[in-house]
Amino acid sequence: MKLLFLTLLLCSLLLCSSVFAPTMAQPRSRNFCEGKCKGRCNKAAVWDRCFKYCGICCEECQCVPSGTYGNKHECPCYRDKVNNKGKPKCP
């Protein structure tokens, strides 16, 4: 009886983890990027452009450096993105 109960419990846990894992595995949602980019572009002279490109970079890289300027070493993908002229794409 105990073996049957443990087997059913284990199967139900495996089933639940496979169902809920994809929905819980997205810590970097649109809200994450919006919040991080608002903080990053807070002091930007051209706020709307900064926010737009920060959002694009955040969605692709899944990270945004801390602070309003610099600290790009925290996110190499964000740091290494360049536009077609070879200049940094991400603010």
Side-chain angles (χ1 to χ4, degrees), residues 1-35:
M1 185 68 176
K2 288 183 180 182
L3 183 61
L4 178 63
F5 176 74
L6 289 175
T7 305
L8 289 174
L9 181 64
L10 181 63
C11 289
S12 65
L13 287 174
L14 289 173
L15 180 63
C16 288
S17 67
S18 66
V19 170
F20 292 120
T23 58
M24 294 171 49
Q26 295 179 340
R28 310 280 191 220
S29 66
R30 174 170 277 168
N31 291 335
F32 169 81
C33 288
E34 283 182 14

Side-chain angles (χ1 to χ4, degrees):
M1 185 68 176
K2 288 183 180 182
L3 183 61
L4 178 63
F5 176 74
L6 289 175
T7 305
L8 289 174
L9 181 64
L10 181 63
C11 289
S12 65
L13 287 174
L14 289 173
L15 180 63
C16 288
S17 67
S18 66
V19 170
F20 292 120
T23 58
M24 294 171 49
Q26 295 179 340
R28 310 280 191 220
S29 66
R30 174 170 277 168
N31 291 335
F32 169 81
C33 288
E34 283 182 14
K36 286 290 198 174
C37 288
K38 282 180 183 177
R40 180 84 177 162
C41 298
N42 191 25
K43 296 182 179 179
V46 186
W47 188 86
D48 56 338
R49 188 181 306 161
C50 178
F51 189 72
K52 174 186 173 184
Y53 287 109
C54 179
I56 291 169
C57 294
C58 178
E59 287 182 14
E60 291 177 13
C61 297
Q62 299 298 307
C63 64
V64 175
S66 61
T68 56
Y69 184 79
N71 300 325
K72 289 188 178 183
H73 64 278
E74 296 175 355
C75 184
C77 171
Y78 191 95
R79 175 193 65 212
D80 297 337
K81 288 214 168 289
V82 292
N83 62 16
N84 57 359
K85 296 178 182 176
K87 295 186 177 183
K89 180 177 185 176
C90 306

